[in-house]
Amino acid sequence: MSLLPVAQALTQLLSNVSATETEIVDIKEAGGRTLSKPVYAKRQQSPFDASAMDGYALRALEDGSYPNIVKMIGESAAGKRFNGSLGYGECIRIFTGAPVPPEATAIMMQENTKKIADHEIELISPVIEGRHIRKAGLDFNIDELLLETGRTLDPVALALAASSGNSSFSVYRPARVAILATGNELVTPDQTPGPDQIISSNSYGIGEIVRQHGAQAIDLGIIPDNLEALTHAISTAIEDDIDVLVISGGASVGDHDLVHKALTQCGIQMDFWKIAMRPGKPLMSGRLTTQAKKTVQVIGLPGNPVSSLVCSYLFLSPLLAVLNNRKPHYDIRNALLTADMPANDHRQDYVRALYEIDEDDRLTVTPLPVQDSSMLSFLAKANALIIREPEAAAASSGDRVKIMMLR
Ligand code: AMP
Ligand code: MG
């Protein structure tokens, strides 16, 4: 049976997937969410002409010049403006963020002045007209478009929105992603494994990928290699108003690999199974429309921890992006190989590797020596994956290769 190319599998997975519905969230809960409507300024920033410095706000003499010694007649502080009016050749003490009196023509910073008496200031450097006055509306004006639809509410976006008087947003509902692990040999990290058991790790890595996309991870624990238990867990998960079901393990063709059978029995329409990639060949995907007319995407990942995570980066991450109405994005770059690599077979290879910037500022990449798909320690050391196309010819040190950045 021929294996499905990676790009084709991804296209199939993402076809018919649409963004989740939208909802309104308060700014305190909005971090990391994706805007489904643009954000416009509700007010002007700065709302008044403001001082950019601690110093003195000056008004020139009638002829436009400035005296060397000026009379100080008051003070304007942030939050409390000077209420008088500034005469020719006078000044007030002013602080950063304080309103500048309309008559002021420049700000002289404190460091360029000398206080010679209680109400007399000597200017020790030339005055520059308009200097250090931030005009009203310098940052933005009312009704100005500040953030476009699709923008993630990252730290700067949140701060900008807050400063413009926006305290709630229309965003996409976080996708609900249920995660199941299956295998008789698996226990959770807080349990002591029996003699033939190992600790289940996949759900934690997958859960974190889900959260990094602003989606909600629902860990449904470990299910044994038992068809009845699996079908029960799958149908229960699907009825719990989820958007995505991710199952790791049991994906291959061994006697105890029951996921494909269980999914089919649960009525899931399988789109593909077995991809021309390494790691991750047994990856499968399908979908089901529930009685409530909601489409649930299902991804069955291979159990090997590296396969499981690499497949999540390649398939689950784009799916989560689309559910947020974002374009899937991988950081793919060209890098210079520092070692020879053998010719590739018919599967697209994702080789755990270390990229570096060398002394000549070039991006170089070195494949890690061991590529066993059970070895999380090497995936954790890697900061990139070298992408080797199916049937790629042998590559030599110095050749350009494509890499996908992981960190
Ligand atoms: P399977 O896909 O069930 O054939 O599993 C392939 C390999 O991955 C086996 O060595 C399993 O023990 C291992 N494995 C399966 N599920 C997990 C998991 N959740 N965490 C860590 N290793 C797993
Ligand atoms: Mg298994």
Side-chain angles (χ1 to χ4, degrees):
M1 182 184 152
S2 74
L3 303 175
L4 190 66
V6 173
Q8 220 169 303
L10 190 60
T11 307
Q12 247 186 62
L13 171 72
L14 301 182
S15 64
N16 304 314
V17 178
S18 42
T20 57
E21 327 75 81
T22 63
E23 60 185 17
I24 306 292
V25 287
D26 184 84
I27 190 164
K28 292 193 196 78
E29 317 296 328
R33 305 288 292 275
T34 304
L35 287 173
S36 57
K37 281 195 184 147
V39 171
Y40 294 94
K42 290 192 169 166
R43 50 182 295 285
Q44 189 185 43
Q45 180 68 357
S46 160
F48 43 79
D49 289 0
S51 177
M53 288 288 163
D54 292 325
Y56 298 88
L58 317 168
R59 183 180 185 183
L61 293 167
E62 232 168 328
D63 65 3
S65 70
Y66 292 87
N68 283 342
I69 292 168
V70 288
K71 187 171 156 212
M72 185 174 70
I73 61 157
E75 175 185 299
S76 181
K80 192 170 188 306
R81 68 175 58 215
F82 170 66
N83 274 324
S85 81
L86 208 50
Y88 292 116
E90 289 179 342
C91 78
I92 55 163
R93 182 82 169 108
I94 199 163
F95 301 96
T96 307
V100 177
E103 307 85 16
T105 47
I107 308 281
M108 178 63 96
M109 62 193 270
Q110 190 168 314
E111 292 84 336
N112 293 335
T113 62
K114 210 154 80 189
K115 196 165 180 181
I116 51 174
D118 253 4
H119 297 284
E120 275 183 354
I121 305 299
E122 185 182 350
L123 308 179
I124 55 176
S125 85
V127 180
I128 300 167
E129 199 78 13
R131 194 80 199 270
H132 304 315
I133 297 175
R134 291 182 175 139
K135 285 295 190 190
L138 175 71
D139 199 358
F140 49 78
N141 281 301
I142 194 156
D143 292 336
E144 197 172 315
L145 172 65
L146 298 178
L147 300 167
E148 300 200 35
T149 300
R151 170 76 184 240
T152 301
L153 288 166
D154 56 41
V156 177
L158 279 175
L160 174 64
S163 74
S164 63
N166 286 280
S167 58
S168 65
F169 308 95
S170 176
V171 295
Y172 294 99
R173 172 180 63 74
R176 282 167 56 78
V177 182
I179 303 166
L180 268 176
T182 174
N184 290 338
E185 75 281 30
L186 303 174
V187 297
T188 53
D190 56 344
Q191 294 174 317
T192 308
D196 300 327
Q197 291 187 306
I198 61 162
I199 292 170
S200 169
S201 55
N202 292 346
S203 305
Y204 303 97
I206 298 163
E208 192 51 26
I209 290 176
V210 168
R211 283 185 290 273
Q212 284 178 354
H213 281 269
Q216 186 189 349
I218 305 155
D219 190 342
L220 297 181
I222 299 166
I223 309 297
D225 293 312
N226 168 300
L227 193 58
E228 216 172 294
L230 267 174
T231 50
H232 178 72
I234 292 166
S235 36
T236 313
I238 281 175
E239 287 314 319
D240 191 24
D241 198 27
I242 57 169
D243 300 282
V244 183
L245 171 63
V246 182
I247 308 180
S248 78
S252 212
V253 292
D255 294 347
H256 303 283
D257 293 327
L258 302 168
V259 171
H260 192 273
K261 197 167 177 186
L263 290 174
T264 313
Q265 274 194 15
C266 289
I268 286 146
Q269 179 199 327
M270 296 307 291
D271 288 333
F272 59 76
W273 184 19
K274 298 195 180 105
I275 311 296
M277 65 182 284
R278 178 177 31 242
K281 181 171 110 178
L283 178 74
M284 68 183 86
S285 153
R287 71 194 78 190
L288 175 86
T289 303
T290 63
Q291 285 175 352
K293 297 264 175 290
K294 180 163 179 176
T295 301
V296 179
Q297 304 293 328
V298 181
I299 297 182
L301 300 168
N304 268 311
V306 174
S307 315
S308 181
L309 286 178
V310 170
C311 285
S312 295
Y313 283 131
L314 291 170
F315 291 88
L316 179 59
S317 290
L319 173 61
L320 295 170
V322 173
L323 286 167
N324 254 334
N325 212 16
R326 284 190 212 139
K327 271 215 176 80
H329 171 76
Y330 307 110
D331 190 355
I332 308 273
R333 305 189 194 191
N334 286 312
L336 298 176
L337 261 182
T338 65
D340 297 345
M341 292 187 85
N344 195 15
D345 63 7
H346 60 289
R347 285 157 72 182
Q348 181 142 311
D349 226 337
Y350 293 89
V351 179
R352 275 69 82 199
L354 260 184
Y355 74 78
E356 268 174 317
I357 308 290
D358 73 5
E359 315 87 73
D360 299 322
D361 268 350
R362 297 175 312 179
L363 181 65
T364 66
V365 68
T366 308
L368 293 176
V370 190
Q371 296 290 324
D372 188 309
S373 63
S374 72
M375 294 174 70
L376 278 177
S377 54
F378 274 89
L379 184 59
K381 279 193 186 95
N383 54 16
L385 298 169
I386 301 174
I387 304 172
R388 298 278 285 149
E389 298 283 331
E391 314 296 350
S396 312
S397 176
D399 284 356
R400 258 141 97 70
V401 286
K402 287 234 174 309
I403 66 171
M404 179 176 140
M405 312 293 266
L406 294 178
R407 286 185 278 121

